[in-house]
Amino acid sequence: MFGSYSVDEQTKPDKSLRLSLFFQTGSLYFYTCSVKSVDLEFLSTIDWEADIMSEIWDPKKAEKKLKSKSEMMVCDALMNQDIFSGVGNIIKNEVLFRIGVQPESLIGNLPAKKLRELIAEARNYSFDFLDWKREFVLKKKWLVHTKTICPKCCEKLVKKQTGLGKRRSFYCEKDQKLY
Ligand SMILES: [Zn+2]
């Protein structure tokens, strides 16, 4: 969650450094992250199509996985790294506001159109997130995450730990429907 990396130059102190890689053409540094050594067999079990920003991201596959988890709350589903690898808590909150869905809604109760919207927006927002982060305007672009007032209806937002993951959700009871 707080991890970061840098290329060609170590930008953080040694105590934050977890892994550094040196190549003939440059170097790569990873900070405040968990580093795990895995074998080739494990690598072959990773579903690269679940990477939300990958060129081979497969929305149909995500839809299929979601349909098998009808009892799961949407807030947990979006944070499920086997389905939406790369989606974090900020993206979860902003995506659910964008599509007008209350975080505790159950996957199985979402109309087919909403489910596809959820999948599409998870990817869309991830690209916006990256652009805004690079432009240093990410926080300014948040509509509900860490906010207290709904930008649509000006009512007070609800702040609550939701789902099995018990992660912070910020949502509007008026503009986000509970399915
Ligand atoms: Zn509202």
Side-chain angles (χ1 to χ4, degrees):
M1 191 179 180
F2 304 104
S4 60
Y5 68 91
S6 63
V7 180
D8 287 341
E9 187 191 355
Q10 185 178 333
T11 55
K12 299 211 166 152
D14 282 350
K15 68 174 165 60
S16 313
L17 187 64
R18 296 289 177 275
L19 177 70
S20 45
L21 299 169
F22 299 92
F23 306 98
Q24 276 179 348
T25 49
S27 51
L28 196 51
Y29 303 84
F30 297 92
Y31 315 95
T32 329
C33 58
S34 119
V35 178
K36 213 163 49 175
S37 154
V38 296
D39 53 32
L40 277 174
E41 207 178 315
F42 175 82
L43 284 179
S44 68
T45 66
I46 294 178
D47 181 6
W48 301 103
E49 288 170 355
D51 179 347
I52 192 87
M53 300 189 76
S54 166
E55 281 173 22
I56 59 164
W57 156 254
D58 188 349
K60 283 264 174 308
K61 208 166 171 180
E63 194 176 333
K64 212 175 147 198
K65 286 180 190 170
L66 286 170
K67 281 181 174 161
S68 71
K69 299 188 189 312
S70 56
E71 294 300 310
M72 196 183 247
M73 286 184 188
V74 291
C75 58
D76 285 327
L78 270 174
M79 301 284 284
N80 185 313
Q81 299 298 302
D82 293 326
I83 308 174
F84 297 104
S85 175
V87 169
N89 203 39
I90 298 167
I91 297 179
K92 175 204 80 185
N93 285 328
E94 294 293 317
V95 164
L96 291 178
F97 181 71
R98 270 189 181 185
I99 65 169
V101 173
Q102 206 264 25
E104 291 169 315
S105 301
L106 299 183
I107 287 293
N109 291 346
L110 288 184
K113 195 172 159 261
K114 266 296 162 207
L115 190 69
R116 283 195 290 271
E117 227 180 299
L118 174 87
I119 296 165
E121 277 309 319
R123 181 167 159 98
N124 284 343
Y125 193 87
S126 296
F127 281 96
D128 287 345
F129 183 97
L130 183 63
D131 287 342
W132 294 334
K133 199 168 171 143
R134 283 180 174 151
E135 293 159 15
F136 304 103
V137 294
L138 181 62
K139 280 190 183 179
K140 267 190 257 171
K141 298 285 186 179
W142 290 346
L143 297 177
V144 290
H145 186 73
T146 70
K147 305 289 178 195
T148 49
I149 302 295
C150 173
K152 258 190 204 166
C153 69
C154 299
E155 294 283 328
K156 207 165 178 279
L157 291 173
V158 177
K159 176 184 170 184
K160 183 182 174 186
Q161 289 180 319
T162 60
L164 293 174
K166 298 225 177 298
R167 298 296 303 274
R168 277 193 308 171
S169 286
F170 298 85
Y171 60 93
C172 174
E173 278 182 316
K174 228 173 170 180
D175 291 305
Q176 289 172 257
K177 188 176 167 185
L178 178 66
Y179 290 93

